Amino acid sequence: MAGATKPEASTAAELWPREEARRLAERVAAYAPSRPVIFQSGFGPSGLPHLGTMAEILRPSFVRKAFHLLEPSRPSRLIVFIDDLDGLRKVPENVPNREATQQYLGVPVSKIPDPFGCCASFADHMIGLLGGFLAPVEVEYELKRASEMYSSGQFDEGLKLILDKRAEIIAIIAPTLREENRAGWSPFMPICPKCGQVVERSVTAYHPERRAIEFTCEKSAGGTRGCGFSGEQSVLGGKAKVQWKVDWALRWYVLKVDYELYGKDLTDSARLSGQILRVMGARAPLGFPFEMFLDEEGHKVSKSVGRGVTVDQWTRYAPIEVLKYFLLLNPRRARKLFLEAIPQYVDEYLDAVREYAAASAEQRRESILEYVIQSTTPRRFNSALSFGLMMNLVAALGSSDRDFIWNYIVRYDPSIAGDAETEKMGRALMECALNFYRDFIEPTKQPYTPSDAERGQLITLVAWLRENQNASAEEIEKRIYDLGRENYDKPGKIFPLLYRSILGQQRGPRLGAFIRLATPARIVELIDATLARA
Ligand SMILES: [Zn+2]
Ligand SMILES: [Zn+2]
């Protein structure tokens, strides 16, 4: 596919979750045997879940899997923390009724009506989407909502500590702010009882003995529209939230988080949150910043704009296991992800499945497929057919009749129907190939009109194919090279003519195997149609 970079090999030796699991085992070695290891991941319900969200939840789950292979008896939990008390800063571009939602800027997303009109709140809709979005990848996790953690009092111990240590926390954060923002910065953001907004830089006095703060919801406070309320309020029980970097430290503290991965854009936040956590008397979790996904133009994929590849698209063009496989690749490397690159990952995944099927039980434990395979995943693919070749077959047949295409495939390689698992995978790949062909290849097909010299070459090939209907892939390949050598200074120069004449495209698969698969008879029909065009 044009512009796609070659996928990197992902061998067992460079499996990063295993390295992470080893570090984690060292960290928790002194824990009581029954104390669970806590993995955390965050989801901000102020926008729709996207592929980055999937990465943030699946990647720690891979480390968790590696950890269990290492220490099978130690319990663990993967917490997905939902910050639904976050005040909405910007209405995402990809939600309906944007104007109606605009009036709730600054209000926690758990208190904003659902713009889609179906759920209890904006946050509830996004959380519902997250659940549906994670269902096909069979990942085990538990949700914790900020609104519940704060209002139920589960965060209170940590909040008291933050109130007591506020001077040290301010000393960590203030120097990182622009000078004009330093004065009046507070770890606490009260939730205004009158207008419901989460009010920043509003605290005017602290009363630690009463666990309370004084604040003013100023009418012109930094961009949000305050209501003018002024008064004293508890910092406990959900009446106040803490600023983001303090909030992250608070989660780590209260939930006793051992492991968290985060996007590279949060590197500074993670460092500062770790410092705050030390002030609170705890140890920062393990983890590292991962690189972001970039879209085809090299822009960062963001939840508010929703560019890039969606999970729905993945499952339309590739088995879901291929997405998990992709997310297992080294996360310290930035990756451009666009749909045209997916078929290469499918073929790399099929290689991994073939290796897995041939491996011993011992070797399988070391296989990367251990991280990818799901309850319904076919565990073997006893065919040498590639996804790329299957897509080209779909293109050559120009039909979406499943039985018709399947019969072609089975005639070429009977082993694809030789056992139930291989056939299941084969049929799934055929569906994906049909979707990919219909969406991307068919619209770019261009009928080609050959020159007189080219017509001569095509007529020679057609005549040979008619006489050699049973030729092997190698014999066909050799005849094409000979024909290239007879007509060009380099034999490969005949390929573009053949791809244009057979597929209506500039590029294509290895022709010997492809013509064998599509059958010489079908290729003759396609070339005849091109010849008839002149
Ligand atoms: Zn809804
Ligand atoms: Zn207010």
Side-chain angles (χ1 to χ4, degrees), residues 58 61 77 103 113 217 227 233 254 284-285 295 331 335 340 353 365-366 371 393 451-452 459 481:
L58 276 181
S61 83
R77 294 160 66 195
Q103 61 178 302
C217 182
C227 68
Q233 185 159 297
V254 172
D295 67 12
R335 237 166 266 282
E340 287 83 348
V353 173
R365 258 174 53 98
E366 297 289 307
Y371 297 79
L393 174 69
S451 69
D452 285 347
I459 288 165
Y481 267 93

Side-chain angles (χ1 to χ4, degrees), residues 192-197 199 215 217 225-229:
C192 178
K194 196 172 156 206
C195 69
Q197 293 187 71
V199 207
F215 79 103
C217 182
R225 307 150 300 153
C227 68
F229 175 88

